[in-house]
Amino acid sequence: MDSRSQREPKPHEHPEKGPTEWQEGRHGVGPWEGEWPADARYDEELLRNGDRRNVVDEYRYWSLEAIKADLDTRRHPFHVAIENFENDMNIGTVVRTANAFVAQAVHIVGRRRWNRRGAMVTDRYQHIVHHESVADLAEYAKENDLAIVAVDNTPGSVPLETAELPERCLLLFGQEGPGVTEQAQDAAVMTCSIAQFGSTRSINAGVAAGIAMHAWIRQHADLGGAWKS
């Protein structure tokens, strides 16, 4: 069966309202009715008890391993990195957005521990790589032919709205407040800024990451491969 095929849902299987951060659990489908599929990607426990996870309909009843394996066949050639020297609370949001845009991997620089609540369990489907320092991240990028693109509103930065992002790149974000460190900017081939028109100096790092990832999607992704809701 094709990985993107979808059987006709039974009346009781239409997802309920949601999901959102505030209404988690109000989505999913009940136990499978009728003869179980023979496809090895399906999880027997989910078939038996229902699937209440926050996954697209095409992945209903699939095991976590099967979903991750399928995502690995469709990942885009960009990576995302965020510095974690002050235990940033935005990392979970970055991971969740990276999963939505199927980034190759999310790199966390600095502290290994981070708050996973904002990821809404999407870290289970996303490759997470840890680096002790920016120098380690830069070496990884060099070995994997990735151009580091820092995203920060600093003097001399290129507007993200007009920048041509490299197809094979690593989008690098700093902490909320201080932004990208000097070492990270030195390792980057370019620094991009996001146009702002209000009174605040900067926007949330998780929001900035989403904007930058979507900029890459608009320039390089095959939109015909996106899930249709």
Side-chain angles (χ1 to χ4, degrees):
M1 183 177 68
D2 186 88
S3 63
R4 299 178 73 83
S5 64
Q6 181 181 5
R7 66 186 179 84
E8 188 69 23
K10 295 182 173 63
H12 74 289
E13 293 175 337
H14 287 288
E16 301 169 21
K17 183 179 179 181
T20 69
E21 285 82 351
W22 311 112
Q23 297 176 326
E24 188 62 19
R26 297 184 60 191
H27 54 84
V29 291
W32 186 285
E33 289 188 355
E35 183 178 355
W36 282 7
D39 194 316
R41 292 174 297 192
Y42 288 90
D43 183 283
E44 290 189 3
E45 182 176 348
L46 295 173
L47 292 171
R48 181 180 301 108
N49 299 319
D51 188 352
R52 301 295 177 182
R53 301 171 301 174
N54 181 9
V55 296
V56 296
D57 291 344
E58 284 79 1
Y59 288 148
R60 287 295 180 200
Y61 303 108
W62 284 29
S63 69
L64 185 151
E65 294 77 14
I67 294 174
K68 193 170 183 178
D70 189 66
L71 289 174
D72 284 345
T73 68
R74 305 191 297 108
R75 293 193 188 278
H76 292 124
F78 77 90
H79 296 234
V80 182
I82 183 167
E83 296 181 284
N84 187 35
F85 298 115
E86 299 177 7
N87 199 24
D88 199 309
M89 299 293 288
N90 294 289
I91 294 176
T93 301
V94 174
V95 171
R96 182 177 181 183
T97 308
N99 170 263
F101 295 135
V102 283
Q104 280 285 342
V106 175
H107 302 259
I108 299 173
V109 184
R111 294 185 179 184
R112 184 177 295 273
R113 296 187 63 182
W114 54 281
N115 190 325
R116 284 171 164 75
R117 183 176 181 181
M120 303 289 282
V121 305
T122 55
D123 54 304
R124 299 180 184 178
Y125 307 97
Q126 185 64 52
H127 298 292
I128 310 291
V129 183
H130 177 258
H131 303 274
E132 292 289 344
S133 66
V134 171
D136 293 338
L137 177 72
E139 183 62 26
Y140 177 95
K142 181 179 179 181
E143 292 175 353
N144 291 274
D145 191 28
L146 297 169
I148 296 179
V149 177
V151 180
D152 199 1
N153 287 3
T154 56
S157 58
V158 179
L160 180 64
E161 295 74 21
T162 58
E164 293 186 11
L165 297 175
E167 184 174 14
R168 290 188 55 80
C169 69
L170 188 153
L171 300 170
L172 174 58
F173 304 89
Q175 295 278 169
E176 184 77 22
V180 175
T181 61
E182 183 176 348
Q183 297 94 325
Q185 289 192 46
D186 290 342
V189 299
M190 64 189 298
T191 298
C192 292
S193 60
I194 297 173
Q196 298 174 207
F197 303 90
S199 61
T200 185
R201 177 185 176 276
S202 64
I203 59 177
N204 177 277
V207 173
I211 293 171
M213 281 186 257
H214 194 256
W216 187 98
I217 291 294
R218 293 187 64 183
Q219 291 183 29
H220 298 293
D222 175 10
L223 300 182
W227 299 123
K228 302 299 189 294
S229 59

